[in-house]
Amino acid sequence: MRGLDGKVAVVTGGAQGIGRAVVDRLVHEGVAVTIADAHPEFGPSAAAEVTAAGGTAWHALTDVSDEEQVAAAVEGTVRRHGRVDFLVNCAAVFIMRGVNATVDEWRRSNDVNIMGQALCVKHVVPHMADRGGAIVNIASISGHIAQPDYVVYNAAKAAVANMTRCMALDLADRKIRVNAVNPGTVWNANNERFHRDVLGMTRENAEKDPEIGGRHMLKRVADPEEIAGPIAFLLSDDASFITGENLMIDGGYTAM
Ligand SMILES: NC(=O)c1ccc[n+]([C@@H]2O[C@H](COP(=O)([O-])OP(=O)(O)OC[C@H]3O[C@@H](n4cnc5c(N)ncnc54)[C@H](O)[C@@H]3O)[C@@H](O)[C@H]2O)c1
């Protein structure tokens, strides 16, 4: 993809799941990556694996809801590489709660899933200002549909979807493009554990289930790499006239 090689990215939540696939894809495209993740073990091990394979990555222990930690991760990136070109806002907490959610649950979900993305944008923008840049926020199909007892999570993802449009408008004159991707169900380690331990399901069972795989036109769930590819595209110069967009990467889920 055009315009990725030699650039510098901050990927929040890059230690696991979709974020980890984004790190691997960007490194493959020649991007140096900061893995800004709150996980004290998987963050360093992800960075070590990338480095051992010949890529450039480091782990910044970061809770994205803490502005000082976000600022430190961005400053560390600039200290190492002298620039930031891309931000991928992947980190999230999954507080799947309905109308009985507690104030603490609301606050934690909104602090990480909404404000965390906004704080990362706030701190990378000054470093992009001279030459422009690109940002991808991860929302979800959940931000566009109703799901049982998902009020808290879905409200946050809906906020991300619209926050993305507002940011795109505010940052257009600084040549910073802002887009969101909205994945359907993605089969990563944490989702596999949830399906196995809580629902007693294998991937094959989940894909055959009318409420999971059956909700996607393609009658299956996604691999993290299938989300990472479109994210790399949105960051690249091949997407130079795309901003303020919410791209559905959902196997046709929301089109039905
Ligand atoms: N998995 C899915 O089916 C799916 C579907 C739609 C959208 N999404 C979205 O994709 C993104 C990635 O999801 P995933 O399933 O790969 O998640 P995951 O649980 O596999 O990984 C999330 C990562 O975020 C990190 N993280 C959590 N809280 C953090 C915080 N406060 N600060 C910094 N890092 C933090 C975790 O340590 C972890 O490494 C999320 O925004 C999620 O809402 C996922």
Side-chain angles (χ1 to χ4, degrees):
M1 287 173 193
R2 290 187 302 123
L4 295 180
D5 191 24
K7 299 284 176 59
V8 176
V10 175
V11 180
T12 76
Q16 297 177 80
I18 297 169
R20 179 61 208 277
V22 170
V23 169
D24 286 346
R25 179 58 191 261
L26 292 181
V27 167
H28 176 76
E29 299 281 351
V31 178
V33 177
T34 294
I35 300 170
D37 197 292
H39 203 292
E41 289 153 29
F42 293 147
S45 62
E49 283 166 27
V50 170
T51 307
T56 303
W58 70 289
H59 172 236
L61 186 65
T62 314
D63 179 339
V64 294
S65 69
D66 182 317
E67 186 163 17
E68 278 183 20
Q69 293 183 31
V70 169
V74 174
E75 280 160 21
T77 306
V78 174
R79 217 170 28 247
R80 277 175 170 75
H81 302 294
R83 57 195 285 166
V84 184
D85 304 287
F86 306 133
L87 168 67
V88 181
N89 264 323
C90 229
V93 288
F94 299 88
I95 298 175
M96 302 337 206
R97 295 279 285 132
V99 295
N100 289 330
T102 65
V103 168
D104 284 348
E105 288 168 334
W106 272 110
R107 288 203 171 120
R108 188 62 187 152
S109 180
N110 293 345
D111 281 358
V112 175
N113 296 353
I114 306 174
M115 191 181 68
Q117 294 203 3
L119 289 175
C120 291
V121 171
K122 175 181 174 183
H123 284 271
V124 297
V125 160
H127 300 285
M128 293 176 170
D130 292 341
R131 66 178 84 80
I135 295 168
V136 175
N137 298 325
I138 316 297
S140 171
I141 55 167
S142 297
H144 304 267
I145 60 174
Q147 293 167 289
D149 286 325
Y150 270 38
V151 174
V152 171
Y153 180 76
N154 289 21
K157 289 300 180 180
V160 170
N162 204 34
M163 188 168 76
T164 298
R165 298 185 187 99
C166 297
M167 288 174 170
L169 178 63
D170 288 350
L171 298 175
D173 61 356
R174 298 190 220 180
K175 297 189 172 52
I176 299 171
R177 296 182 297 104
V178 188
N179 292 291
V181 298
N182 295 267
T185 302
V186 181
W187 203 258
N188 56 31
N190 287 333
N191 228 351
E192 179 171 13
R193 192 173 313 113
F194 169 77
H195 281 83
R196 186 187 60 226
D197 297 350
V198 179
L199 305 176
M201 277 187 186
T202 62
R203 178 170 182 162
E204 197 183 354
N205 300 146
E207 292 190 324
K208 284 188 180 142
D209 190 297
E211 290 304 316
I212 306 173
R215 291 263 182 183
H216 304 71
M217 280 185 193
L218 297 179
K219 304 297 179 220
R220 65 176 180 86
V221 296
D223 288 315
E225 294 73 21
E226 295 181 281
I227 314 303
I231 290 172
F233 161 70
L234 287 171
L235 296 175
S236 80
D237 288 348
D238 288 331
S240 53
F241 204 53
I242 303 178
T243 197
E245 183 58 47
N246 266 272
L247 177 64
M248 299 295 162
I249 314 177
D250 65 356
Y253 190 120
T254 51
M256 287 202 285

